[in-house]
Amino acid sequence: MSQKINAAIVGTGFIGPAHLEALRRIPNIEVIGLVEVTQELADEKAALLGIPKAYTFEEMLKDSDIHVVHICTPNFLHYPQTKAVLEAGKHVICEKPLAVKIDEAEELVALAAERGLVNAVHFNLRYYPMVRQMKTMREKGELGEVYSIMGSYLQDWLFLKTDYNWRLEPDKSGDSRAIADIGSHLLDITEYVTGLKITEVLADFSTVHKTRLKPLKAIETYSGKMLTMDDYEEVPINTEDHATVLLRFDNGSKGSITVSQVNAGRKNRLNIEIAGSKSNFEFNSERPNELWIGKRETSNGQLMKDPALFHPEASALISFPGGHNEGFPDTSKQMFKEVYAAVREGKQPDSPSFPTFADGLRELIIGERIIDSNKSQSWVKV
């Protein structure tokens, strides 16, 4: 492959342009194509975003100049589009979830392996430098034996009855919403940092707004646009606004997570606290450049993001000196740097540092068991 790697992005909602912005910050990667549902919309969005080529999905697959495809469409399209890209011989970075059904994700894992193509799922929140620092500190024995884990992921973008998005519709998003959408990030980080596997779950969901007012006009995620009452229709809601899940791990320790999209004032707050036999780690994504380290017999500590203070495995995710804040947009950039290093080699690494289709499948399995637990109101094995 030539030094320059060409990419295409499928979908231009909230996350597609976020992928584009991150890719433009990495040398020798060029986003040359944009895909939308119609040629007219693709032309409009490509001109707006400064991308030279605009396609429908089928036309993009035929372009041999494109090496990598980013799937940034609604959930129900992830499986068929990812499968088609793999069959076209192109590497894939798919938004989470990898699919809406476990058997679909299993098929994609097998197909990617069969074709020998680079595959990744966009669990970008692993790429806060502090998250990898926690993982590395745990691997080096600085946390000790894991006693317990507490986590939460809180947002308020669906707080009002008039808040609406395609993620509220199970035929587009799947049978779970809060757990599948943001809870999957938290569960992925939990296993990634601790090195433990979740073995059993006990879940309880609640739907705060049994009905919502669906706008008759399209509104992009996080756009904050307001409409009049004549612009809405009332529709039933069948997915969770809030969920609490008890967890059991393979080392015998316990944990819990709370996930909500209706917590006023919490814009995008992932919080995880891991209690170990030597230390306690606490990370909050709204303060991503800080890590609280709890101690029993000495003073507590607060580690600030600084490559000079980090383990080398984590400092590799830092682009600026200490005191220069990095945040959410940087997580995608750091992840794509690792994925595209594999693309440059032309194959999936034996032990990828980035989240793969197998990780996407893992989160689908955990999420499905959480749904089952909520339905049965009982512990369910993972």
Side-chain angles (χ1 to χ4, degrees):
M1 184 177 291
S2 63
Q3 184 181 21
K4 187 178 73 171
I5 302 172
N6 294 332
I9 292 175
V10 185
T12 58
F14 160 68
I15 202 64
H19 281 234
L20 172 64
E21 190 274 339
L23 290 170
R24 282 175 165 166
R25 298 166 63 196
I26 306 173
N28 300 315
I29 297 172
E30 184 175 353
V31 179
I32 66 168
L34 184 71
V35 174
E36 260 298 350
V37 66
T38 66
Q39 187 63 51
E40 292 74 18
L41 184 58
D43 290 338
E44 175 189 338
K45 292 291 188 176
L48 180 66
L49 296 169
I51 297 174
K53 295 183 180 183
Y55 316 83
T56 58
F57 184 76
E58 291 74 16
E59 290 302 310
M60 178 274 296
L61 293 177
K62 299 174 186 176
D63 191 341
S64 60
D65 288 338
I66 291 174
H67 310 127
V68 186
V69 178
H70 291 242
I71 303 296
C72 300
T73 49
N75 299 354
F76 74 103
L77 293 172
H78 291 181
Y79 163 70
Q81 290 183 337
T82 297
K83 181 179 179 180
V85 171
L86 291 171
E87 290 176 337
K90 302 179 190 298
H91 308 290
V92 188
I93 299 170
C94 183
E95 266 302 320
K96 51 82 193 162
L98 177 59
V100 293
K101 296 179 180 178
I102 291 173
D103 60 343
E104 294 175 344
E106 289 173 337
E107 183 181 349
L108 293 177
V109 170
L111 181 58
E114 175 191 321
R115 297 299 176 97
L117 293 164
V118 175
N119 58 90
V121 176
H122 192 228
F123 284 119
N124 59 304
L125 301 192
R126 286 189 186 190
Y127 281 80
Y128 283 115
M130 284 298 178
V131 171
R132 186 167 289 185
Q133 176 71 2
M134 285 193 293
K135 176 181 186 292
T136 305
M137 291 172 71
R138 188 267 304 167
E139 290 172 340
K140 294 183 180 296
E142 297 173 48
L143 176 66
E145 178 189 352
V146 176
Y147 286 166
S148 65
I149 300 109
M150 296 183 295
S152 64
Y153 201 150
L154 310 177
Q155 297 176 331
D156 72 356
W157 71 285
L158 292 173
F159 178 72
L160 302 174
K161 189 174 182 177
T162 52
D163 291 328
Y164 202 85
N165 184 269
W166 60 263
R167 290 174 177 83
L168 292 153
E169 300 172 7
D171 62 328
K172 296 184 178 66
S173 186
D175 293 333
S176 170
R177 180 182 11 113
I179 284 292
D181 185 20
I182 56 177
S184 59
H185 276 296
L186 178 57
L187 292 162
D188 175 70
I189 284 176
T190 297
E191 291 195 334
Y192 176 70
V193 171
T194 64
L196 302 177
K197 293 296 183 184
I198 296 166
T199 58
E200 291 183 89
V201 295
L202 177 63
D204 198 16
F205 291 0
S206 60
T207 303
V208 174
H209 297 296
K210 308 299 184 186
T211 63
R212 285 180 181 265
L213 298 180
K214 180 180 180 178
L216 301 175
K217 302 176 181 178
I219 299 179
E220 291 183 0
T221 305
Y222 299 121
S223 66
K225 294 178 181 176
M226 301 299 293
L227 304 175
T228 68
M229 291 305 295
D230 292 337
D231 295 320
Y232 295 98
E233 63 172 333
E234 191 165 10
V235 297
I237 300 299
N238 300 307
T239 54
E240 76 279 7
D241 292 315
H242 175 280
T244 299
V245 187
L246 297 179
L247 307 170
R248 290 173 177 165
F249 295 89
D250 56 358
N251 75 335
S253 64
K254 309 293 170 48
S256 65
I257 64 166
T258 297
V259 178
S260 175
Q261 295 174 319
V262 290
N263 272 53
R266 296 300 190 191
K267 302 305 177 185
N268 192 47
R269 184 182 186 273
L270 181 152
N271 195 89
I272 186 167
E273 184 161 337
I274 306 168
S277 59
K278 294 183 179 179
S279 300
N280 194 95
F281 297 163
E282 191 240 356
F283 172 76
N284 176 355
S285 70
E286 290 188 346
R287 299 195 307 272
N289 295 278
E290 304 172 15
L291 174 65
W292 184 82
I293 303 172
K295 295 291 185 180
R296 167 63 189 267
E297 296 171 328
T298 60
S299 299
N300 296 331
Q302 185 154 309
L303 176 63
M304 302 300 291
K305 189 219 68 175
D306 184 337
L309 303 177
F310 273 41
H311 292 299
E313 297 90 333
S315 64
L317 302 186
I318 301 175
S319 295
F320 298 95
H324 297 74
N325 289 338
E326 293 171 86
F328 178 84
D330 301 282
T331 62
S332 295
K333 181 190 79 170
Q334 299 295 349
M335 176 179 163
F336 296 160
K337 280 167 55 179
E338 294 189 349
V339 176
Y340 275 80
V343 171
R344 200 169 298 283
E345 296 297 320
K347 63 178 182 178
Q348 188 84 341
D350 292 334
S351 299
S353 57
F354 51 84
T356 66
F357 282 9
D359 295 296
L361 172 60
R362 171 68 180 168
E363 291 311 314
L364 275 178
I365 292 171
I366 296 173
E368 188 69 25
R369 301 300 179 264
I370 288 173
I371 293 171
D372 293 343
S373 174
N374 175 67
K375 289 177 179 177
S376 66
Q377 290 290 285
S378 63
W379 284 98
V380 172
K381 293 185 181 298
V382 175

